[in-house]
Amino acid sequence: MADCNHCTHERALSVEDDVTVAFYKDDSHDKNSAYDRQEPGTNDRAPERIHLRSKGRASCEYDEEEDDDDEQLESARGNSLESSGEEKTSCPPAFCVRNKSPSPEGPEKPNRCPGLGLFYAFLSTVFFSIITLLVKTIEGIHAIEISAIRCFFQMLFVAPVIIYHKTGFLGPRDKRLVLMLRGFLGSNAMILLFYAVQLMPLADATVITFSNPVFTSLLAWIFLKEKCTIWDCVFTVFTLTGVILIARPPFLFGENVHGIEGDYTNHIKGTFAAFGGAIGAACTFVILRKLGKSVHYYVSVWYYAVIGLIECIITVSVLGEWKIPFCGRDRWLLMLIAILGIAGQTFLIKALQVEKAGPVALMKTVDVVLAFIYQFIFFSRAPTWWSLGGALCIVVSTSGVAIRKWYNSSRRN
């Protein structure tokens, strides 16, 4: 069988199993070549066919009889290939197409659903907003005791996850003090939020707590040496303006302040508690950013639950505020708060895994809208223009921070 090195490709063909591809010899070689000796009267271009078989085997066939020299040459070449352990293939690699075995990974996975991360963020926002609504609904139980019950159920959920991932409950030795600080600040932020919700209108407490992204940028500039622009200063001014419009201090708005819940002393206490909760949440975010990926997220949540539970038990015991819920309804609501807290954190994690932080932060602005809706529907309290103006300032500043970070991240990518 003759070599196919002197074959010229006539046309491109799609190669499948058991397909014959035709090639033609080019007679423009040296007359003394052993491949150019033909009998008189033969066609100048003798077709040569390459029969491609399955399993990657190929063979070349001629329509004309081959010379003895060619047979000897091919025989010698075949023996050399067999002795080297390679499969006998008489065609050059450029012309032989082998069937590829299917990939062990199977078919390619389809692209993820667009907007899935935003959907997870929306679910997380809804769950957290329902938690604040339930806290507002429960009466006769201190906010610290509600926080203790939530931390207890969160421990029950996180412990099996840590065991499954084999991350350990204490985390890296050089990160434990930072993790304890994260747990202390995070649990305080939760306690202050619940306390503010009990003392002031639901929407006002939610809006003030929602201002934490602005303070996160400032704290990251101070402690992490991140860049601070003029926009961060503008957003901070907008946020403080919104807090002032919601708090409405007497030295600016006079003694007759309308639209507050209860007496003005509790309103001011709630304002300071919500503002402190926003600062605590901002500090927690800065610590988590400092830790980065060196600590598993659920280890951080574990510290948050354990330290929060210890702190709540000590504080409630000192204050003497331990109370058993009055009826079965409140007990079920307390368990529902814990379950929704776990679900909200889980969906927030999943949202940040598949979506950038900027769009997720923008989606959380829905929390403010839901707070005003819940306040109007369940407590028959319409928001005042001062509260709406303060909410607008805080939402604009927080959204501006998220959009700016999203834009900068997109430019870097």
Side-chain angles (χ1 to χ4, degrees):
M1 186 179 294
D3 189 5
C4 300
N5 290 333
H6 302 288
C7 299
T8 58
H9 199 291
E10 180 179 345
R11 60 189 180 93
L13 294 175
S14 61
V15 180
E16 301 176 354
D17 289 348
D18 298 333
V19 175
T20 300
V21 183
F23 296 90
Y24 289 87
K25 292 178 63 177
D26 189 359
D27 296 334
S28 61
H29 302 291
D30 188 6
K31 295 181 180 181
N32 296 327
S33 175
Y35 300 103
D36 295 332
R37 296 196 303 267
Q38 297 180 359
E39 295 295 333
T42 57
N43 191 359
D44 290 340
R45 301 179 66 195
E48 176 189 5
R49 292 180 175 84
I50 301 176
H51 187 64
L52 302 179
R53 302 191 183 113
S54 61
K55 299 182 180 180
R57 293 194 300 264
S59 63
C60 297
E61 297 178 357
Y62 274 89
D63 287 349
E64 63 181 88
E65 297 181 357
E66 300 296 333
D67 297 336
D68 294 338
D69 295 342
D70 294 335
E71 293 177 358
Q72 293 176 1
L73 180 60
E74 285 299 321
S75 177
R77 181 172 302 173
N79 292 335
S80 62
L81 289 176
E82 291 175 359
S83 62
S84 61
E86 298 179 0
E87 186 180 9
K88 179 179 178 181
T89 304
S90 57
C91 298
F95 293 144
C96 295
V97 180
R98 300 177 182 272
N99 293 333
K100 296 182 179 180
S101 59
S103 175
E105 299 178 356
E108 295 183 358
K109 295 181 180 181
N111 295 331
R112 63 178 177 84
C113 178
L116 183 61
L118 295 180
F119 178 69
Y120 288 151
F122 176 76
L123 291 179
S124 174
T125 301
V126 171
F127 290 152
F128 284 133
S129 65
I130 295 177
I131 288 176
T132 57
L133 173 63
L134 297 179
V135 171
K136 186 70 174 178
T137 304
I138 298 176
E139 298 179 356
I141 301 179
H142 201 278
I144 302 178
E145 184 177 352
I146 297 175
S147 302
I149 295 174
R150 177 182 172 180
C151 290
F152 173 74
F153 280 97
Q154 191 161 332
M155 286 176 56
L156 295 182
F157 171 78
V158 174
V161 178
I162 292 179
I163 295 174
Y164 174 78
H165 288 284
K166 300 179 181 179
T167 59
F169 289 93
L170 298 179
R173 186 180 300 273
D174 58 336
K175 304 292 184 181
R176 292 174 185 174
L177 290 178
V178 182
L179 287 169
M180 293 178 64
L181 181 61
R182 177 265 185 271
F184 177 76
L185 293 174
S187 59
N188 282 336
M190 174 185 61
I191 294 171
L192 291 173
L193 170 62
F194 289 174
Y195 185 67
V197 168
Q198 289 184 337
L199 293 180
M200 63 189 306
L202 175 63
D204 293 349
T206 302
V207 168
I208 296 176
T209 308
F210 184 73
S211 63
N212 65 80
V214 178
F215 300 114
T216 301
S217 299
L218 292 178
L219 292 174
W221 170 60
I222 296 173
F223 295 102
L224 301 182
K225 308 302 180 183
E226 294 186 1
K227 185 178 180 180
C228 182
T229 64
I230 187 63
W231 286 108
D232 294 315
C233 299
V234 173
F235 296 145
T236 303
V237 172
F238 265 85
T239 299
L240 295 178
T241 302
V243 173
I244 292 174
L245 291 177
I246 293 174
R248 280 162 287 174
F251 64 88
L252 291 178
F253 294 86
E255 297 293 336
N256 297 324
V257 180
H258 301 283
I260 63 174
E261 188 175 282
D263 58 4
Y264 188 76
T265 302
N266 287 337
H267 185 79
I268 289 296
K269 288 181 180 179
T271 300
F272 277 104
F275 191 79
I279 298 295
C283 294
T284 302
F285 293 150
V286 172
I287 293 176
L288 291 175
R289 189 179 301 177
K290 180 68 175 178
L291 291 173
K293 297 182 180 180
S294 61
V295 179
H296 196 278
Y297 179 82
Y298 281 108
V299 176
S300 175
V301 176
W302 171 257
Y303 272 85
Y304 164 83
V306 172
I307 295 179
L309 179 61
I310 296 174
E311 181 184 358
C312 291
I313 291 176
I314 295 175
T315 305
V316 175
S317 300
V318 172
L319 296 177
E321 293 289 342
W322 279 113
K323 294 181 181 179
I324 299 177
F326 296 113
C327 62
R329 169 183 169 273
D330 288 344
R331 298 173 187 177
W332 285 108
L333 290 180
L334 289 172
M335 295 181 62
L336 184 59
I337 288 174
I339 295 174
L340 290 177
I342 296 170
Q345 287 186 342
T346 301
F347 279 109
L348 180 60
I349 296 171
K350 294 179 69 66
L352 293 174
Q353 287 176 344
V354 299
E355 189 60 79
K356 295 182 180 180
V360 174
L362 289 176
M363 181 59 68
K364 288 183 67 65
T365 57
V366 178
D367 194 3
V368 175
V369 179
L370 293 175
F372 279 104
I373 294 175
Y374 294 158
Q375 179 176 287
F376 180 77
I377 294 177
F378 295 98
F379 304 103
S380 300
R381 181 177 294 276
T384 63
W385 287 107
W386 295 112
S387 295
L388 289 176
L392 180 62
C393 290
I394 293 177
V395 169
V396 167
S397 60
T398 305
S399 301
V401 171
I403 293 174
R404 188 178 65 85
K405 291 185 177 180
W406 185 12
Y407 174 74
N408 292 336
S409 176
S410 301
R411 288 186 60 186
R412 286 193 298 267
N413 296 335

